[in-house]
Amino acid sequence: MIRSRLAAGALVVLAFSALLAALPPAIGRGGALAVETDAVLETAAVAFLDLFFAGRYEEAGARFDSTMTAMAPPAKLAEIGEALRGQLGEFLERGAARTERGDEWTAVFVRCRFEAAAVEMKVVFDAASRIAGFFVVPAQAHHAWTCPAYADTLRFTEREVTVGAPGWPLPGTLTVPAGPGPHPAVLLVHGSGPNDRDETVGHNRPFRDLAWGLASRGVAVLRYEKRTRAHAARVAEMLDSLTVREETVDDAVAALASLRAEKEIDTARVFLLGHSLGGTLAPRIAARDGKVTGIVVMAGAARPLEDLILDQMTWILAFDGETSEADRRKLEALRRRVARVKDPSLSADTPPDSLPFGVHAAYWLDLRGYGAPAEAARLDLPILVLQGDRDYQVTGRDAARWEAALAGHPLAAFRGFPGLNHLFIAGEGPSAPVEYETPGHVDEAVIEEIVRWMGMR
């Protein structure tokens, strides 16, 4: 399916976002078998993309499987194309294709360059070589991830685990410090989009940085694949009713219970760390769980989602110093959709194509009236709020709301980090989506601050 949170090397439009995709779903079922050669399928994928970007939507869908044909007719493909242009700008050119084969599917990745960023378009073929889905994914990393200097791999071990709410098994990794324990522990909760357990963004893996850095200092860490990644097809079938409860909250609560059940863990010292959307929802998760020792909010939005969408789009479109007439039309169209979210008459029957990125009304209604800082203020828990000063996605305006709401909270602490972006990676100058193409690591000062706050230093 096309995803709007074009993280990783592409474009992270939303600070936290609505679903596994903030564009209408375009995912079919079925996998693909090695029926055609790589060259044949790559040619078919390129032909589809050329037709799609040219606006020839009826022809583009000619090779769809039955589910894709039903879910993504020409009118829906046109909506997806317009939403994609609204985030990445005009399509400029395509580059090389590569193929990955699974037991029951084949995926062709085609590198595409837009005005704002380079991404890969992933076209999935089924057993009959029909197109069963297409996605926007990060451009393939050309730099292998390296261990951060502050992590010592001799000081911890890792093992695979399975977590998640009943019926939604999610693969995860438990990182355990060396030594007998029991160890304090942290659960990591992702930002927006169908994130993997490392919260991979471009050439960066901030959750692996956190896990290895914290475990090197005696803190166990659990991270896991997000439901919208591990069960994308099932989630796509329920987008009309999906809320953050199904997207994030239920699985985080279940993962906390799983973490406490591990033999090496000190159940009296189990913390929750949420980044971006995870940070925004951390107070809600903690309230549902009722047992968590404390929460860490890393770049958690404090303002309504629709306001952040508009602010981020405005920032991105004006980043080159000018806003074209086409850009102004895009912003005006987005403003109308944002206003529709705020309209008191918004209901479950409101057409999703009248709302930002085609996200269904159920999601917006669930978030209406939710204020993360106010929710946090009601918690009788230690709370640490962290903010990067170069973050253009969740900004100082959000940090100020956290500080104001928690000013009288005896267990709340705040820390800003000069020079760090939304991923808490150092950089210079104004932050922009292209920055995520540059390999980096979560700053060591962030690791040390979390450890100190947990009472380990």
Side-chain angles (χ1 to χ4, degrees), residues 308-455:
L308 266 72
I309 292 174
L310 186 57
D311 283 356
Q312 289 181 37
M313 187 66 76
T314 302
W315 171 269
I316 290 167
L317 292 178
F319 192 77
D320 60 1
E322 59 181 52
T323 304
S324 67
E325 181 58 35
D327 290 340
R328 282 190 283 272
R329 288 196 297 270
K330 292 172 187 174
L331 287 173
E332 184 54 38
L334 181 56
R335 287 191 186 96
R336 290 194 295 271
R337 289 174 169 81
V338 167
R340 192 74 183 91
V341 171
K342 295 183 178 298
D343 191 327
S345 68
L346 178 70
S347 73
D349 297 326
T350 300
D353 58 7
S354 70
L355 302 171
F357 303 122
V359 174
H360 287 258
Y363 200 93
W364 303 106
L365 289 168
D366 179 55
L367 289 173
R368 177 174 282 183
Y370 174 67
E375 184 77 16
R378 288 190 283 270
L379 297 174
D380 184 22
L381 294 173
I383 301 169
L384 175 63
V385 180
L386 306 179
Q387 178 71 36
D389 290 358
R390 291 181 60 254
D391 190 342
Y392 79 90
Q393 297 177 248
V394 176
T395 69
R397 295 173 63 187
D398 296 278
R401 291 195 179 196
W402 283 102
E403 292 204 45
L406 296 174
H409 195 297
L411 302 176
F414 308 88
R415 174 76 186 276
F417 295 89
L420 302 192
N421 63 16
H422 188 61
L423 304 182
F424 290 82
I425 296 174
E428 297 180 357
S431 184
V434 71
E435 181 175 349
Y436 303 128
E437 293 280 1
T438 302
H441 293 293
V442 171
D443 195 275
E444 184 173 6
V446 176
I447 307 289
E448 294 292 350
E449 178 65 19
I450 295 169
V451 169
R452 183 203 63 75
W453 175 79
M454 290 179 64

Side-chain angles (χ1 to χ4, degrees), residues 123-430:
V123 184
V124 179
F125 292 89
D126 69 9
S129 298
R130 311 294 291 181
I131 295 176
F134 69 103
F135 305 71
V136 177
V137 300
Q140 185 184 39
H142 298 292
H143 303 272
W145 182 88
T146 59
C147 178
Y150 51 72
D152 184 348
T153 57
L154 297 178
R155 296 192 175 193
F156 60 84
T157 60
E158 292 195 316
R159 66 173 180 265
E160 295 297 293
V161 296
T162 299
V163 300
W168 298 92
L170 305 174
T173 300
L174 180 63
T175 310
V176 183
H183 305 286
V186 172
L187 175 73
L188 304 183
V189 181
H190 335 65
S192 63
N195 281 294
D196 63 19
R197 71 194 72 187
D198 293 333
E199 204 186 38
T200 300
V201 179
H203 301 313
N204 304 290
R205 299 183 180 184
F207 273 16
R208 186 180 293 187
D209 291 343
L210 287 168
W212 288 24
L214 291 171
S216 296
R217 291 156 176 78
V219 179
V221 180
L222 174 60
R223 62 195 197 274
Y224 56 95
E225 305 287 307
K226 200 169 176 182
R227 181 186 297 197
T228 47
R229 178 184 180 88
H231 302 283
R234 286 180 62 194
V235 173
E237 295 173 350
M238 54 185 286
L239 290 182
D240 59 343
S241 61
L242 190 71
T243 70
V244 294
R245 181 176 68 81
E246 298 85 5
E247 181 195 8
T248 298
V249 176
D250 286 352
D251 294 321
V253 172
L256 283 167
S258 296
L259 182 55
R260 293 188 188 98
E262 296 291 343
K263 61 182 183 298
E264 303 98 334
I265 303 306
D266 181 351
T267 58
R269 292 189 292 168
V270 173
F271 296 81
L272 170 69
L273 185 157
H275 174 239
S276 198
L277 172 63
T280 301
L281 296 176
R284 184 180 287 192
I285 296 166
R288 267 275 306 275
D289 174 71
K291 300 177 183 178
V292 71
T293 306
I295 62 174
V296 181
V297 176
M298 293 182 66
R303 293 173 292 146
L305 166 62
E306 64 270 18
D307 293 342
L308 266 72
I309 292 174
L310 186 57
D311 283 356
Q312 289 181 37
M313 187 66 76
T314 302
W315 171 269
I316 290 167
L317 292 178
F319 192 77
D320 60 1
E322 59 181 52
T323 304
S324 67
E325 181 58 35
D327 290 340
R328 282 190 283 272
R329 288 196 297 270
K330 292 172 187 174
L331 287 173
E332 184 54 38
L334 181 56
R335 287 191 186 96
R336 290 194 295 271
R337 289 174 169 81
V338 167
R340 192 74 183 91
V341 171
K342 295 183 178 298
D343 191 327
S345 68
L346 178 70
S347 73
D349 297 326
T350 300
D353 58 7
S354 70
L355 302 171
F357 303 122
V359 174
H360 287 258
Y363 200 93
W364 303 106
L365 289 168
D366 179 55
L367 289 173
R368 177 174 282 183
Y370 174 67
E375 184 77 16
R378 288 190 283 270
L379 297 174
D380 184 22
L381 294 173
I383 301 169
L384 175 63
V385 180
L386 306 179
Q387 178 71 36
D389 290 358
R390 291 181 60 254
D391 190 342
Y392 79 90
Q393 297 177 248
V394 176
T395 69
R397 295 173 63 187
D398 296 278
R401 291 195 179 196
W402 283 102
E403 292 204 45
L406 296 174
H409 195 297
L411 302 176
F414 308 88
R415 174 76 186 276
F417 295 89
L420 302 192
N421 63 16
H422 188 61
L423 304 182
F424 290 82
I425 296 174
E428 297 180 357

Side-chain angles (χ1 to χ4, degrees), residues 2 23-24 52-53 57 75-87 89 114 134:
I2 293 276
L23 302 182
F52 176 73
F53 290 130
Y57 300 117
K76 184 63 71 175
L77 288 180
E79 292 177 13
I80 294 170
E82 178 59 30
L84 186 62
R85 284 190 294 274
Q87 295 183 74
F114 295 80
F134 69 103

